[in-house]
Amino acid sequence: MQTGHVTTPFGRRPMSLALVRGQMAIENAQPDTRIEKWKVFRDVCEARERLGIQDRALAVLDALLTFHPHAELEPSHGLVVFPSNAQLTVRAHGITETTLRRQLAALVDAGLILRRDSPNGKRYAHRNREGEVEQAYGFDLTPLLARAMELALMAQDVVAERARFRRAKEALTICRRDVRKLISAAVEEGATGNWEQAESEYVSILARLPRNPNRAQVEITLDEMELLREEVLNILEKQLKTEDMHGNAGHNACHIQNSKTESINELEPSSGDELGESPANKPLTKNEPNGRPKAKPDPIKAFPLGMVLRACPQIADYGPGGRIEHWRELMRASVVVRSMLGVSPSAYEEACNAMGPENAAAAMACILERSSFITSAGGYLRNLTRRAERGEFSLGPMLMALMKANDGGHRKSA
């Protein structure tokens, strides 16, 4: 039977106190301890990052275990294996001898195996007349047996950590999706709120997340994103409650008067009814039989000017002094851009009638931003106008896509 003792390495390999400590530690192993060798190998595989070893070291350890003839590691069977480098290379999937030596050293440094070197550095065994091994020189697998419980607990902790990391990433993905879609819905439907600031905070949170984050970094980002989601939901909740109150009040008073429900902050152009012109005073036309006005799609809500300028920064070059500070300057700049891109006055006038002058100006800013990808700016604007007349067009997705593209470009160039 192999008896454990402290031994020094052969040749130029130095001895260290860490090796002495490791060899002394396995001297205290219980003699009746046993462990299934492939179970402890699976635990080492799970904990390999904490042990500081690579995949190729695992392949070498797997090869060493195949030279142990028993399914279990126990002291009575002898735990020293003595294959040659050529045999190890074959069973370790043909790695080079240089790599083999390096990975064997890594396994020793990780405290998973020990060297039991012979006087001449060769690996061999002395057998008795019955063929049993009395003394062997090679690699001692006793550390795997002595550290079996430690390795099992380490593997369990690694698996639990991996599960926590996976759940944190899943939660962050869902939270990102929620915030992204809530902001987009609020912008598209014209909900009151500083959505430009919310969008800026969303981009800023994601910009702070590294490309390959650890669990702590993901959880910090998740906390920030959840806080932003709560803020967005609070704003939307107040908005919906306000709309419900106004809707109920308008329903109860509809037999008295038709109140003006649109806010002046939404920057919508005045309609004929708002100017005092009632349907009864309008002359009949062939498009309005029996004096009933032809149904029109709901007006397109204008988006915040700051959001338009952030999505379409090029339009500012055509404003007075190379900047735009209010809607009137944006509309003047859009006329210059219309002429520059070859859009006819009639096409632009139709867009103003269908979308409103503010939205038509914003659409021209979007077309300018994408002018290198648009063959005919006039035809593109007429297409948007026809969709607006059918109630099928919203500037929201176009603005959000341009903002995302511009923000992505700034991050790459930063």
Side-chain angles (χ1 to χ4, degrees):
M1 184 181 75
Q2 178 71 35
T3 58
H5 60 279
V6 175
T7 181
T8 58
F10 171 79
R12 296 181 179 180
R13 289 193 298 269
M15 187 62 179
S16 67
L17 294 181
L19 290 176
V20 175
R21 186 181 301 111
Q23 294 185 47
M24 287 183 172
I26 66 172
E27 295 291 332
N28 299 322
Q30 297 296 327
D32 58 345
T33 304
R34 64 176 62 189
I35 188 71
E36 202 274 317
K37 65 179 181 180
W38 298 119
K39 179 183 182 303
V40 72
F41 176 73
R42 288 192 295 271
D43 291 338
V44 172
C45 291
E46 291 287 358
R48 69 179 181 84
E49 291 185 0
R50 295 194 183 182
L51 293 169
I53 57 177
Q54 302 176 349
D55 294 341
R56 291 187 176 182
L58 294 177
V60 173
L61 181 59
D62 175 84
L64 287 172
L65 288 172
T66 62
F67 286 100
H68 182 69
H70 303 282
E72 293 182 333
L73 299 177
E74 58 176 312
S76 62
H77 289 157
L79 296 176
V80 177
V81 293
F82 40 91
S84 66
N85 283 355
Q87 291 173 316
L88 275 177
T89 297
V90 172
R91 295 201 188 183
H93 312 294
I95 64 176
T96 63
E97 186 167 343
T98 302
T99 303
L100 175 65
R101 293 179 185 276
R102 186 167 59 250
Q103 300 308 325
L104 285 171
L107 291 173
V108 172
D109 293 340
L112 298 176
I113 61 173
L114 289 175
R115 294 182 185 271
R116 299 292 185 187
D117 288 345
S118 66
N120 62 2
K122 302 294 183 180
R123 298 172 204 146
Y124 56 88
H126 294 295
R127 301 177 185 270
N128 58 22
R129 293 182 178 181
E130 287 76 21
E132 296 178 351
V133 175
E134 291 184 336
Q135 182 74 34
Y137 299 101
F139 298 105
D140 192 346
L141 303 178
T142 305
L144 292 176
L145 178 62
R147 299 181 62 187
M149 182 60 68
E150 175 194 350
L151 293 171
L153 294 176
M154 191 183 300
Q156 292 174 12
D157 188 54
V158 168
V159 171
E161 173 70 16
R162 189 182 300 129
R164 290 193 295 268
F165 192 15
R166 182 174 62 252
R167 287 194 294 269
K169 289 193 292 185
E170 290 173 352
L172 178 59
T173 298
I174 293 173
C175 193
R176 286 180 57 181
R177 182 183 67 199
D178 291 346
V179 174
R180 172 74 279 155
K181 293 197 172 184
L182 286 171
I183 294 177
S184 298
V187 170
E188 288 187 30
E189 300 185 24
T192 303
N194 193 348
W195 303 117
E196 183 179 357
Q197 180 179 350
E199 171 73 17
S200 177
E201 180 64 19
Y202 172 82
V203 173
S204 177
I205 291 173
L206 294 182
R208 292 193 292 271
L209 185 66
R211 182 179 295 274
N212 296 309
N214 56 33
R215 181 173 64 88
Q217 293 168 328
V218 170
E219 289 179 345
I220 291 173
T221 303
L222 175 61
D223 291 340
E224 295 178 345
M225 193 65 70
E226 286 178 340
L227 181 60
L228 179 58
R229 179 173 62 182
E230 290 299 322
E231 293 176 356
V232 170
L233 288 173
N234 288 338
I235 296 173
L236 292 177
E237 183 180 8
K238 293 178 182 179
Q239 175 79 4
L240 294 175
K241 287 182 178 179
T242 303
E243 290 180 357
D244 290 341
M245 292 174 60
H246 289 174
N248 292 334
H251 179 73
N252 294 332
C254 63
H255 64 284
I256 300 175
Q257 67 177 19
N258 183 16
S259 61
K260 181 180 177 181
T261 60
E262 300 294 341
S263 170
I264 60 173
N265 293 328
E266 292 172 345
L267 299 173
E268 296 209 359
S270 301
S271 64
D273 292 343
E274 293 170 352
L275 296 176
E277 183 180 359
S278 64
N281 297 329
K282 294 181 182 179
L284 297 179
T285 66
K286 62 181 180 180
N287 294 327
E288 299 174 348
N290 301 323
R292 296 180 180 271
K294 184 179 179 181
K296 294 182 179 180
D298 294 335
I300 303 174
K301 300 180 186 297
F303 292 88
L305 178 61
M307 179 180 178
V308 175
L309 295 177
R310 181 178 168 190
C312 311
Q314 295 184 40
I315 192 70
D317 296 337
Y318 301 90
R323 61 181 182 178
I324 292 175
E325 297 181 349
H326 48 75
W327 278 103
R328 190 170 300 278
E329 291 180 350
L330 176 65
M331 288 186 281
R332 289 175 180 171
S334 67
V335 173
V336 178
V337 171
R338 172 200 66 75
S339 176
M340 181 188 71
L341 295 180
V343 178
S344 65
S346 62
Y348 187 66
E349 183 179 358
E350 291 174 4
C352 290
N353 293 335
M355 307 178 192
E358 293 88 355
N359 287 304
M364 283 305 310
C366 292
I367 293 174
L368 173 65
E369 202 70 23
R370 299 279 296 172
S371 59
S372 58
F373 303 97
I374 297 175
T375 304
S376 172
Y380 191 86
L381 182 63
R382 288 187 184 275
N383 180 51
L384 297 182
T385 301
R386 288 193 294 271
R387 290 170 56 192
E389 290 173 344
R390 296 193 299 267
E392 300 173 354
F393 173 66
S394 172
L395 275 171
M398 186 182 299
L399 292 173
M400 297 302 290
L402 288 172
M403 278 200 302
K404 183 177 181 181
N406 289 335
D407 290 340
H410 295 330
R411 286 199 300 271
K412 290 179 181 178
S413 61

